[in-house]
Amino acid sequence: MKEKYKNSWYCTFVLNASIFPTAFMIAYSISCLNPLVPVIHRIYNSTYEKQHGDALPDDTWTLLLTLTMSMLMIGAFVGSMVFKILLNYLTRKRILILTHICSATGYLIVAVGTGKWGSSEAFITGRFVTGLALGLGLSVTPLIFNESCVPHRRTFYGGVFGTCTASGVAIGIFFAWPKIFGTDERWLGVLFVCMFFSVVYFVCSFWIIETPLQAFISHGEGRALTVLRKLRYGTETDLNDELKDLAANGDSDDNTSSFATFMEVITTPQYRRHFIGAVLAYSIIMACGVNNIFFYSDQILANAGLDSETVTPATLGVMIVGPIVSALLTIFVKRGAEPRIVMITGCTIMILGDAFMTACLATYEVVPAMSTTAIAAVCVFYVGFAIINNIAYVMFGAITIDRTRPVCINVGAASLWFFAWLVGFIAPYFEIWIGPYGFLVWMVVTIFVLLYSIFFMPNVAGKTQDQIQAFYKTGLTTAASSVPLDPEL
């Protein structure tokens, strides 16, 4: 596709209005409770004392904490599984509207049930409902920007999405900081900030149209061409060429569905190969163990010997590194950096971070300097994660095609949220069972993805979709880089 064929200003608005509020909402929801753990403990303890006349037992608190944190991920897992069903009945835009309705509703349940009555049940239920929004949002948003964006800019917007999620994490930590809203008196403000993101999308949605592929599926080529004219600057020839690509990717053999089924993806070698790569790209975002950081970094740093006044600013300082790394990485990829090499680099840095954190946690009592060094260890790990979080969406958009993308997103997002739940739920128990060595478990998973990226992922920089798919069609025996470049790219 020629570079002069590009997104219109209206398309840029659609992409940013879909990406920014949703990415902020997802990441903010994951991280905002981290500094609030002491506040939540006091709320639960106060309620328990009123009901039982005694202080909240430690084992009950551990269970309630893991449920409060991980219920968000259970909801996200359910949301990602329901997404494929909703896709058969609702448009992408309507699913995204439903996403933000779930997010706002979940926070309202917490604000009323826990804010007024101190109910742990309301907090856990609200987190589940908000989790539904996370599962739907992380599934539908990549569909929207990959289907709406001009093909040669999709990797850029994958980077934008990754940068926004990294920024959302830092924003969540900031607003939950005790100096802002993270106190017994002001903690409800943390909830209302995230509801603001949803309000922004609700307002913008009045001016957002459906994706070209959605228009093609629902109304045919005429409507799809009309949508493309609004979303693109280019000649009629360029528009018709993209429309032909839509038809080629959207048509099925039996003409009953424009998307491949799960069984078709699994049984077709080409589809199965890029399906595995796409699911791994999604899974490693959470399977690397990052929820240890999002949920419990304050506790990790406290366990490493930092005082209570230092832990949240230290966590915030680490989280700010994420959007900086993501923004720089987006620029590098735009200028031609190979995403596969970037993914290998990110996995390697995370593995080093895992080893570094384990060393700090295991030796801080013997070597006092390790308490401060733990901040650097968390930072190293998070730099690696920021790279992976950004590049995973880039790789996903590059290696999937319109026909298989919904199934890949459905399974990939479900896998991501399963690992998010597993890490969030089991981390406190790992601390009890194996002490400072919990990060080594997730390091093994990262090593596996590193090896897969080295030996089974294609190079995608400067390649057309046909060239990338040639890598999968040949059974991984011919590198994508060996396919001649399109002279018009």
Side-chain angles (χ1 to χ4, degrees), residues 187-226:
W187 69 274
L188 290 176
V190 177
L191 312 182
F192 295 134
V193 170
C194 196
M195 292 171 67
F196 172 76
F197 299 141
S198 296
V199 171
V200 170
Y201 180 76
F202 290 145
V203 173
C204 292
S205 66
F206 288 101
W207 293 279
I208 293 176
I209 60 173
E210 284 301 339
T211 70
L213 183 60
Q214 181 74 65
F216 175 81
I217 294 167
S218 302
H219 306 290
E221 292 188 7
R223 175 60 179 165
L225 189 58
T226 300

Side-chain angles (χ1 to χ4, degrees), residues 452-465:
Y452 186 91
S453 300
I454 292 172
F455 295 109
F456 299 107
M457 282 280 196
N459 294 328
V460 300
K463 304 296 188 293
T464 65
Q465 197 169 77

Side-chain angles (χ1 to χ4, degrees), residues 146-193:
N146 277 298
E147 293 177 6
S148 298
C149 184
V150 70
H152 62 265
R153 293 279 286 173
R154 289 172 182 169
T155 55
F156 171 76
Y157 279 99
V160 170
F161 187 67
T163 301
C164 288
T165 56
S167 301
V169 171
I171 293 170
I173 297 293
F174 174 77
F175 280 107
W177 187 14
K179 293 185 180 295
I180 309 299
F181 290 131
T183 66
D184 293 355
E185 297 78 21
R186 302 192 299 267
W187 69 274
L188 290 176
V190 177
L191 312 182
F192 295 134
V193 170

Side-chain angles (χ1 to χ4, degrees), residues 243-409:
L243 185 62
K244 290 177 182 177
D245 289 339
L246 280 180
N249 285 332
D251 287 338
S252 63
D253 295 336
D254 59 6
N255 294 319
T256 60
S257 173
S258 294
F259 301 121
T261 64
F262 177 76
M263 288 305 301
E264 184 180 352
V265 168
I266 292 299
T267 57
T268 305
Q270 174 195 347
Y271 294 170
R272 181 173 63 247
R273 290 168 189 139
H274 71 232
F275 167 80
I276 293 172
V279 170
L280 283 178
Y282 253 52
S283 298
I284 192 57
I285 294 174
M286 287 297 174
C288 65
V290 73
N291 265 2
N292 275 317
I293 306 299
F294 290 159
F295 287 176
Y296 308 113
S297 61
D298 279 20
Q299 291 178 278
I300 291 170
L301 294 175
N303 289 343
L306 289 183
D307 62 80
S308 59
E309 294 295 323
T310 306
V311 289
T312 298
T315 294
L316 181 59
V318 170
M319 298 307 173
I320 289 174
V321 171
I324 295 173
V325 171
S326 295
L328 292 174
L329 188 60
T330 299
I331 295 171
F332 290 150
V333 171
K334 181 182 177 182
R335 293 183 177 180
E338 172 51 55
R340 172 176 162 269
I341 300 302
V342 174
M343 190 159 188
I344 291 170
T345 302
C347 287
T348 302
I349 293 174
M350 277 200 299
I351 291 167
L352 294 175
D354 283 323
F356 196 2
M357 280 189 288
T358 301
C360 291
L361 292 170
T363 62
Y364 78 92
E365 292 180 341
V366 179
V367 184
M370 283 297 188
S371 298
T372 305
T373 307
I375 300 175
V378 173
C379 191
V380 170
F381 175 87
Y382 197 66
V383 167
F385 168 77
I387 293 172
I388 290 298
N389 182 58
N390 185 293
I391 213 65
Y393 302 112
V394 173
M395 288 296 295
F396 180 89
I399 67 178
T400 57
I401 60 176
D402 288 336
R403 180 159 169 70
T404 61
R405 195 170 290 125
V407 170
C408 293
I409 281 183

Side-chain angles (χ1 to χ4, degrees), residues 53-200:
D54 198 4
L56 182 68
D58 288 343
D59 57 344
T60 303
W61 160 240
T62 300
L63 178 61
L64 287 175
L65 177 62
T66 55
L67 285 174
T68 301
M69 294 299 194
S70 64
M71 193 57 68
L72 183 78
M73 305 309 165
I74 295 175
F77 178 80
V78 174
S80 64
M81 296 302 292
V82 171
F83 168 70
K84 187 64 168 62
I85 299 172
L86 292 177
L87 204 58
N88 295 326
Y89 300 99
L90 299 177
T91 64
R92 278 95 164 120
K93 175 183 172 180
R94 290 175 179 172
I95 292 175
L96 198 51
I97 290 173
L98 179 62
T99 293
H100 286 281
I101 290 174
C102 288
S103 175
T105 301
Y107 282 111
L108 280 175
I109 292 172
V110 176
V112 175
T114 308
K116 186 173 179 60
W117 296 295
S119 168
S120 59
E121 294 85 355
F123 210 133
I124 292 169
T125 301
R127 291 285 281 176
F128 176 82
V129 175
T130 298
L132 295 174
L134 271 63
L136 293 173
L138 195 66
S139 297
V140 73
T141 308
L143 273 189
I144 290 173
F145 68 71
N146 277 298
E147 293 177 6
S148 298
C149 184
V150 70
H152 62 265
R153 293 279 286 173
R154 289 172 182 169
T155 55
F156 171 76
Y157 279 99
V160 170
F161 187 67
T163 301
C164 288
T165 56
S167 301
V169 171
I171 293 170
I173 297 293
F174 174 77
F175 280 107
W177 187 14
K179 293 185 180 295
I180 309 299
F181 290 131
T183 66
D184 293 355
E185 297 78 21
R186 302 192 299 267
W187 69 274
L188 290 176
V190 177
L191 312 182
F192 295 134
V193 170
C194 196
M195 292 171 67
F196 172 76
F197 299 141
S198 296
V199 171
V200 170

Side-chain angles (χ1 to χ4, degrees), residues 31-42:
S31 68
C32 69
L33 294 195
N34 186 342
L36 286 181
V37 169
V39 176
I40 296 170
H41 184 236
R42 287 191 289 271

